[in-house]
Amino acid sequence: MNENEIPEMPKDFGFGPDEEMLRDLAKKLLDQEMPIEKMRRLVAADPAATYEEGQRPGWDEALWRQCIELGWTGLAVPESEGGAGFKMVGIAALVEEVGGHALASPLLATLNATYVLREAGTQQARVGLRAIADGASASLAITNQRGAWDHARPDIVATPKDDGYVLRGSAYFVQDAFKSDLFVVQARLEQEGGGEGQGGGSILCVLRSGTSGLALSQDHIHDLTRDQATLVLDDVMVVAANVVSTHGVETLDRAWPAILTTVAADLCGSSEWQLQTTVEYAKTRKQFDRPIGFFQAVKHPLSNGMIAIDRARSLVYHAACCIDVNLESGTDAGFEGALQNARMAKSAASDAGRFMSDRSVQLHGGIGFTWECDVHLYFKRSMHNQMLYGDATHQRRALADMIIGKVSSDAG
Amino acid sequence: MTSMNQDQIEFQDYARRWLEENRPPAPRERLPITPLEIMSEAHRDYLQDWQGKVHGAGLVGADYPVEYGGFGHDGFQRIANQEMGRARTPMLINIVGLNMAGPTILAHGTQEQKKSLIPGCLSGSEIWCQGFSEPGAGSDMANQQTSAIPDGDNWIINGHKVWTSLGHFAKWMILIARTSKHHKYDGLTYFLMPIAGHAGVTVRPLVKITGESGFNEVLFEDAIVPDNLRLDDVGKGWTVAMTTLTFERGAAESAGGGGGDSAHPVRRLVDLAKNTWRDGRRASDDPVTRDAIVERAIIAEGMRQNGRRARVPALCDHPMRLPLQQKVTGSEFVQDNARLGVEIAGAHSTLYKLDEAAPDAGYWPLAYMNSYGHTIAAGTNEIQRNILGERVLGMPKSK
């Protein structure tokens, strides 16, 4: 597999001193500013308020401003647009720390929107990138009501009018929408003559959160460490000059490896927290006069969890490295390889997340089943991320086409 | 997978060409799957002859010093191994000599031991076996009861070793024996023990679940080994054995596809699925089978990337965390692949290799059954999971 790209890959995934420093600073900051007790106070103070009354859980906006000062919104923005232009492998390591602290923030959404704008490559996309580098948060509004991850048929329709388009309809499952300043919106082109485009293409444009005709309708979700919404557009006018891509599906496809890798990295971080927290509990909780970690029915699953996490982490760094090499080369040669490896990373990370979520609750025993125990915070963040942009099975279904070939039509 | 220098690129071209030009004709009777299942002398002669040729061509021992029968290069052996895997030329019979005895002697041996014993490891002229397992010392490896009593310039060996692969062809054994009853670990000493035709040594075959032989029990009754065949100091046997096991577990991992060729076993499953018809379609069109195969591919790539990450300290939380996983992941990778192959082959998995209708010459069911050798040997995977939980995660010892 991927024989051609093997010689180009740096031995160390391209993870050098800069990337190490970025990660270690993130870890230090989050260890200091977002200890688990503080996070619990912020997001899990009142279950009834969240789940019965639909209040959005809190988040630390002051800390987010600090992250912006540190340049986190601009991590993936090229230096030419005022960003840090960090390598994906460094960003992945930072996101692991973010996942490890279950940080409520628009970071993942902003990174994912950044990758899309970066791939769009137009002048208008560069305007969006500069805004993000200056501290704007952003989110993708690309998913239809069915929750299809292939972004082939968005529910928002763009109808040509004057020198632009009128946008109407909704995008669903928009991540951290209430924390976002900008939305990268995908809209299906209505073909001339009024018929809706059947594969007629789609556009991407950037809308500010206060745009007239743009409304957010909050989703009631399990995860306490983010928000999610339906973005509703009611006749929003976009001038042609503000369209960032006229090949929406292709642009999103090209950003997909980075998007999958980012979510996978967050899963690796939360899974590692689940592992270490459960190990710590197994070392201290005594039953039958022994710490329960003595028993192999407890010890072995935790060893298995470690194996699953390490597989996922290595695949994340490899996918990130493929994306970096591909970006640097400026050619498309490595794209398929990057997509394949990112899908592998997302599949492995989703499986590791599912396994560690399961064991972290089960091995904490009775206390693990209560609101009082921290494991549910990570359980829910992980479950959300496992589904986001396609769960493990979804990724493997796509990988099967790449590795085995499409299902043949000949029967015999 | 890493960038090669000019010499290495030329060596790769050379190795590829040489293997293409010198590929031997297949033996009259089909070879078993690994050297550990070799039963017939015809197969032994055939494979010994092949290893001698490959060594003569510089594709074995490439990185060993010239004075010990090697070729003194740097980073060539990995390339040669990749090329041999790619060319699918016959296996190298002296697996214990190459993967365990050779590197251990190089690390711990005297100048004389290195000069007299390593060349035979490399050329395959002297086959080695391993004497680390006893009826009472399996997972609890330090519980060795075979005794070594000093007698002038010699040691007298008494005891019983089991699961000795290649013992029936071996000239030498890497042996750990007890030289003190007072210390469990520090009471062990490592010997380079003559086997074939040696007085007081009896080799008897054990038959595996597959019906194949290839491994043995070895009995020592007042067998004599001279002190100059002791490896490293008296009482250092455990430490030296750990060196050997590091090489063995690494080799088990690469045998499981963690080396340069991890895609290969998955490719084999894809080929099998494409050539198997089930319920009116190819097995490769069945969504459940497709999912299972892709899962294998992800694990193969994960092992490969773990190997790469293990060499990047900044991306490893604990220095032993990845290395200690290799044995578990490698052996279970082989097992799960084989089991999936059995499932895909379906009814045809019932056929033994002698049956002409057996797909891939009967590989899948035999590989599946033989895979238990790897999940049990070199420390059962249950023991490996204890080690991971205790040494890496810091949980209390299960004993």
Side-chain angles (χ1 to χ4, degrees), chain B residues 218-262:
Chain B
V218 181
L219 299 161
F220 297 97
E221 292 158 296
D222 292 335
I224 288 171
V225 58
D227 189 53
N228 63 13
L229 288 174
R230 169 172 49 79
L231 190 60
D232 214 313
D233 296 340
V234 175
K236 277 283 192 64
W238 181 259
T239 315
V240 182
M242 286 303 113
T243 309
T244 306
L245 292 187
T246 309
F247 290 117
E248 180 187 18
R249 285 167 189 170
E253 184 248 358
S254 53
D261 202 22
S262 55

Side-chain angles (χ1 to χ4, degrees), chain A residues 294 299 304 310 314 408, chain B residues 285 290 306 325 385 390 398:
Chain A
F294 164 88
K299 182 182 288 172
N304 288 341
D310 280 320
S314 296
S408 55
Chain B
D285 289 348
R290 289 165 70 81
N306 272 346
Q325 292 175 26
R385 286 187 165 84
E390 291 158 16
S398 297

Side-chain angles (χ1 to χ4, degrees), chain B residues 92-133:
Chain B
L92 301 175
I93 185 171
N94 202 11
I95 184 171
V96 178
L98 287 173
N99 293 333
M100 292 181 239
T104 310
I105 295 169
L106 188 66
H108 294 273
T110 62
Q111 183 67 1
E112 191 191 328
Q113 287 168 342
K114 292 185 211 175
K115 276 197 163 156
S116 64
L117 295 173
I118 292 177
C121 288
L122 301 179
S123 71
S125 65
E126 297 184 350
I127 292 175
W128 284 74
C129 64
Q130 180 190 17
F132 285 16
S133 291

